[in-house]
Amino acid sequence: MDMIFNGNEKYSEHDAQVLGSTPDIALITDDIRTKEELSKAFLKYLMLPRRNKRHSDYYSVQIYGYNVPTMYVMTKDYLTEEAEQDDEAPLIPGESFVVSEPDLYYNKAAFDSGKTNLCFVIGYSGSGKSYLTREYSGEGIEKVSLDDIVCIKDHISMEELKEEHELFYEFFSGKGREYYVSREERDLAGSHGDAFVEFIKFAIEFAASHKERKFILEGIWTYLFFDDPSEFDKYAVFMKGTSYVKSQLRRTKRELAAGAGNTVEKIAEFGYYLSDSVRNAVNIDIWRRYFENKPETVLMEEDNRFNHIKEDMMNELNAINECFVHEDRESIEKIMNKIENAENMTIPEKSMIIEECKLAISDL
C-alpha cells in the first residue's frame, strides 16, 4: 500500500506499527485500479464490527485525509471517469450504503389515478421514507408502518387495531393471529421473516378486494424478504435514494423518543440490524436497478437540508474516532458536552454526534 501522509503530523510511527500489525482494518487504498478491487475492499469494511470500522476510518483519515466511505465514493468516481465506455461495469454490492441517488417513484401516476391502490415505500431505516408520501393523507388512505409488526402486542392492543388500523386488525385477528406476540412470547429460534411475508401477501389480497381505498405500506422489510422485485410490477413502488450513511443522520430523529417502539431496537431484536448485513445492501441495489429504467418510473433529486450538511459534522465524527483509537474517554466526553451546548446545530445533528460519543465510550 502506498501511504500518502498529506503532511499530517498526527500520523505517528506508532500508528504505522499498529496499522501494520492489525489484520482487522479495511482501507480503500490509493493503489486500487479496478472496480472489482474497490468492491472487495469496501465489502471487507462493511463486514467489520463497529469498533474496527472506527479504527479503519481513523487510519484512513490519517493517511488519505478522508474516511473509508468517502474514499470509496472518490475512488469510484475516479474509476468511472477513467473508463471510456464501461457500460458493463459490475454492480458494486453495498453501493447504496454511501452513495445517495434520486428518489424513485414507480407507477406514481397509476397510484394517483387509482389504477393501482397499493403502494410500497422502501428505503433504509431513517432515510425519510414518509417524505415520499407526504402528499397522501385523509379519508380513503391507510398508511401502515411495517416496523410495527415486530412484537406488535407490546405496543398496540387489539382494541386499538380495531379502531385505528383496519388492515392490521384484519390480519392479526385472522390469518396472522399467530404473529400477534410480545417480546416474551416470540420464538427466538423461529423464522422472523414469516410475519412480514405473510402480512405483505395478505395486504395485496386485502387491497385487491377494497378498490375504493388506497393503501401505503412503508418499511425496509419488503426488500429484505422479497428478492424478486418483479413481483411488485402491478403496484406502486417509491424508493428513497438516501444512502445508508446519510440515513444514519435521519435515524436519530426517531431515536429522540426512547421506548419499545424504537425502529432500530426492533430490527436488532429480530437479528436484522441493517448495518451488519451486506445482503441487505445488495437487495436494495437490485430493487433500484430493476425499477429505475422502467418508463413508468420518475426520478426526483432530493431537495432538503441534508444535501448541505456542514463539514463540521464529519470533523466531529473523525475526532470521536481518533479519541476512540487512543482510548481517550475524557476527550470523547468533552466532545459530547461541547455538542450539547452547540448553538449552530439542530437537535437531530446534536443527537447523532452524542449517540456516536456514547457508542464509542461503550466500545472502549
Side-chain angles (χ1 to χ4, degrees):
M1 177 179 65
D2 298 328
M3 294 188 180
I4 301 176
F5 293 87
N6 293 327
N8 195 333
E9 296 178 357
K10 290 183 179 180
Y11 188 82
S12 64
E13 185 176 338
H14 170 72
D15 289 326
Q17 293 174 349
V18 172
L19 179 59
S21 61
T22 306
D24 293 329
I25 287 180
L27 300 179
I28 304 295
T29 65
D30 63 346
D31 57 357
I32 288 178
R33 295 292 179 266
T34 68
K35 289 186 177 181
E36 289 80 3
E37 292 174 352
L38 179 62
S39 174
K40 183 177 180 180
F42 189 52
L43 284 175
K44 180 181 178 182
Y45 170 83
L46 292 177
M47 297 179 72
L48 290 175
R50 186 171 62 212
R51 61 180 297 110
N52 297 98
K53 284 191 177 77
R54 291 191 187 281
H55 280 268
S56 299
D57 285 332
Y58 166 74
Y59 286 112
S60 183
V61 169
Q62 298 306 303
I63 299 171
Y64 302 108
Y66 305 96
N67 62 19
V68 176
T70 303
M71 283 294 292
Y72 167 78
V73 174
M74 294 172 63
T75 306
K76 175 179 175 292
D77 290 345
Y78 173 76
L79 293 176
T80 300
E81 291 175 3
E82 286 289 293
E84 295 182 355
Q85 291 293 333
D86 191 10
D87 294 332
E88 298 182 358
L91 172 67
I92 298 178
E95 183 171 3
S96 61
F97 260 71
V98 294
V99 182
S100 289
E101 300 182 77
D103 294 336
L104 182 153
Y105 296 84
Y106 169 72
N107 263 349
K108 185 179 188 301
F111 187 65
D112 290 345
S113 67
K115 185 176 180 180
T116 182
N117 67 332
L118 180 58
C119 176
F120 294 89
V121 182
I122 299 171
Y124 287 118
S125 179
S127 63
K129 292 184 289 294
S130 59
Y131 175 84
L132 297 182
T133 58
R134 66 198 184 285
E135 64 186 279
Y136 302 103
S137 61
E139 295 291 331
I141 295 180
E142 183 171 355
K143 293 184 180 182
V144 171
S145 173
L146 296 177
D147 295 331
D148 289 335
I149 292 178
V150 183
C151 302
I152 189 171
K153 191 175 182 179
D154 284 329
H155 53 279
I156 306 179
S157 68
M158 287 300 293
E159 290 74 19
E160 290 173 323
L161 288 180
K162 188 174 183 179
E163 293 178 4
E164 304 173 15
H165 306 280
E166 182 181 359
L167 183 55
F168 269 162
Y169 177 75
E170 293 295 330
F171 176 71
F172 287 109
S173 64
K175 289 185 177 180
R177 187 178 289 107
E178 65 180 292
Y179 302 115
Y180 186 75
V181 297
S182 65
R183 285 176 176 76
E184 294 182 353
E185 296 170 333
R186 73 192 190 280
D187 180 8
L188 291 175
S191 177
H192 302 129
D194 290 348
F196 300 98
V197 173
E198 292 304 316
F199 175 76
I200 290 172
K201 289 180 178 178
F202 175 84
I204 290 174
E205 295 177 0
F206 192 84
S209 62
H210 293 75
K211 294 289 189 180
E212 75 284 359
R213 299 166 56 193
K214 291 183 178 180
F215 300 88
I216 298 175
L217 274 60
E218 175 188 312
I220 67 171
W221 310 97
T222 307
Y223 75 79
L224 293 190
F225 298 115
F226 288 86
D227 294 332
D228 183 5
S230 68
E231 295 182 47
F232 296 80
D233 278 345
K234 296 188 297 183
Y235 316 110
V237 177
F238 298 171
M239 297 185 68
K240 281 299 294 182
T242 312
S243 70
Y244 176 73
V245 173
K246 190 176 289 187
S247 295
Q248 290 296 82
L249 298 177
R250 296 184 172 179
R251 193 194 74 193
T252 60
K253 289 185 177 181
R254 293 182 178 181
E255 296 186 347
L256 293 176
N262 182 284
T263 298
V264 175
E265 287 182 4
K266 291 176 180 178
I267 298 173
E269 282 192 350
F270 267 48
Y272 293 107
Y273 193 48
L274 198 56
S275 62
D276 294 331
S277 178
V278 175
R279 181 184 71 84
N280 298 341
V282 174
N283 255 19
I284 200 168
D285 285 336
I286 290 173
W287 273 69
R288 185 172 185 87
R289 303 308 161 218
Y290 178 79
F291 285 112
E292 67 181 357
N293 292 321
K294 287 183 171 291
E296 301 88 354
T297 295
V298 175
L299 300 177
M300 296 181 62
E301 291 290 344
E302 188 177 44
D303 181 21
N304 57 66
R305 64 183 306 277
F306 287 94
N307 287 330
H308 310 283
I309 293 177
K310 300 173 184 176
E311 187 176 335
D312 290 347
M313 295 286 288
M314 186 58 68
N315 290 337
E316 295 294 350
L317 293 175
N318 291 340
I320 294 170
N321 288 335
E322 180 177 350
C323 295
F324 177 82
V325 169
H326 294 96
E327 300 182 355
D328 188 352
R329 180 191 181 105
E330 182 179 351
S331 292
I332 297 177
E333 292 174 343
K334 287 181 179 179
I335 292 174
M336 189 157 47
N337 291 332
K338 179 184 71 173
I339 296 300
E340 286 176 345
N341 298 314
E343 297 181 355
N344 62 338
M345 283 186 174
T346 65
I347 292 177
E349 289 170 349
K350 287 183 179 182
S351 298
M352 190 274 288
I353 299 297
I354 291 172
E355 178 195 24
E356 285 299 315
C357 288
K358 292 178 179 179
L359 289 173
I361 290 173
S362 70
D363 288 340
L364 282 175

